[in-house]
Amino acid sequence: MNTALYKHMVKTQAKTIISYSVGSAFYIALIAGVYPSLADSKAINHYLQQLPDELLKVFNITGMDNLLEFIAGEYYGLLFLLIGSIYCITAANQLMARPIDRGSMAYLLATPNSRRTIAFTQALVLLTGLAAIVILTTAAGFAADAWLVTNDSLDRERFLQINVIGFLLFFAISGYSFFFSSTAHDEKRALSLSGGITILFYSFDLIGKLAEKAEWLRYGSIFAAFEPGKIAQGQVEWLPVSLLLFTIGVLGYTAGIGLFAKRDLPL
């Protein structure tokens, strides 16, 4: 790792990292804050009971029996996925594909640092931002539970499991996004490949949840590895899922760094 480059790129990405982190923290605090007023609502509970099981599965809604199940469905089932996925795709593009496409990567390569060192440093910047988002989100969840919710206590262990597996999901997404950003011929192609595959994965998971006959499609989606509602209920074996997502992320980053070190860059 090149320390000077790392500090410079973190500073460059600071506004983006802060905006995503604060946005994620705000949403989870907001959702936790409204839970007490909804928890005792018979109308809301009755409405949830009338919804089709397929629709509840799509948004990972398992009920309103406790705060963790509520935020698992209302936040981690969709908003968290959107915020993290968009950050992974756009940050990888800004750190690798854009400098290559616009020629500014040549200035970095002119320094006495190997290509592997530069790519590895950019990968660490991406992961630093991702870690900041998840850590601040986790901290906001604990703070909201302590300050805004008085009649319920957050299951800390399962809440941490949701966030750790969520981080590993984004680690996997950022891994293949980094790979495409390191190897694509231009910025638009890298963005379209990363975004397209992420949308395809999400579509497979969505269709698999909606149609029982198409449930096999979920085996082709990394989003199927993240089920916050089931984690909240203690129905997920977190170790195999974590190892799978970690492996995908490591392969993506390793391949991206390796191929970037060997590829011919456009002049």
Side-chain angles (χ1 to χ4, degrees):
M1 181 187 77
N2 183 283
T3 305
L5 176 61
Y6 174 79
K7 291 180 179 179
H8 173 72
M9 294 309 300
V10 167
K11 185 177 181 180
T12 301
Q13 290 284 307
K15 289 184 179 179
T16 300
I17 294 172
I18 291 172
S19 62
Y20 277 91
S21 300
V22 172
S24 181
F26 171 78
Y27 278 122
I28 192 173
L30 178 64
I31 290 171
V34 301
Y35 172 73
S37 62
L38 298 177
D40 297 327
S41 173
K42 294 181 179 180
I44 295 294
N45 285 297
H46 178 72
Y47 174 73
L48 289 176
Q49 291 174 2
Q50 304 305 311
L51 292 176
D53 291 339
E54 292 79 7
L55 188 61
L56 296 176
K57 286 174 64 179
V58 167
F59 295 105
N60 290 283
I61 298 175
T62 55
M64 297 180 60
D65 293 336
N66 56 66
L67 174 60
L68 183 59
E69 290 187 14
F70 181 70
I71 61 176
E74 296 297 325
Y75 180 67
Y76 287 95
L78 182 59
L79 282 174
F80 182 68
L81 297 178
L82 286 175
I83 292 172
S85 297
I86 292 172
Y87 170 77
C88 290
I89 295 168
T90 57
N93 188 70
Q94 292 170 1
L95 289 167
M96 292 300 294
R98 183 172 297 176
I100 294 172
D101 191 29
R102 299 185 181 183
S104 56
M105 182 63 75
Y107 295 104
L108 296 178
L109 298 178
T111 62
N113 296 290
S114 68
R115 287 191 177 193
R116 289 183 181 274
T117 299
I118 292 172
F120 181 73
T121 303
Q122 298 291 74
L124 286 181
V125 175
L126 174 55
L127 291 175
T128 298
L130 181 55
I133 294 170
V134 176
I135 289 172
L136 192 57
T137 300
T138 306
F142 283 133
D145 176 48
W147 298 336
L148 303 177
V149 182
T150 56
N151 298 325
D152 198 352
S153 179
L154 195 67
D155 188 318
R156 293 176 177 268
E157 182 179 349
R158 291 179 184 175
F159 181 62
L160 285 173
Q161 286 180 7
I162 290 175
N163 284 282
V164 169
I165 298 176
F167 173 82
L168 291 173
L169 170 66
F170 298 138
F171 176 65
I173 294 173
S174 66
Y176 65 69
S177 298
F178 186 86
F179 170 78
F180 289 127
S181 296
S182 301
T183 57
H185 294 297
D186 58 72
E187 182 181 351
K188 290 182 179 180
R189 182 173 178 79
L191 195 60
S192 62
L193 286 170
S194 301
I197 287 182
T198 303
I199 292 173
L200 185 64
F201 280 151
Y202 187 77
S203 298
F204 281 171
D205 186 53
L206 185 65
I207 295 171
K209 289 177 178 177
L210 287 173
E212 185 176 346
K213 292 183 179 180
E215 192 172 2
W216 59 271
L217 284 173
R218 300 193 68 211
Y219 291 105
S221 172
I222 61 173
F223 287 99
F226 181 65
E227 298 185 286
K230 290 187 177 181
I231 298 173
Q233 293 182 327
Q235 299 178 5
V236 172
E237 293 290 337
W238 63 270
L239 184 57
V241 168
S242 299
L243 289 175
L244 173 64
L245 295 173
F246 179 76
T247 301
I248 294 173
V250 169
L251 290 175
Y253 279 107
T254 302
I257 293 172
L259 291 176
F260 174 76
K262 298 178 180 179
R263 66 171 292 190
D264 293 327
L265 296 179
L267 299 176

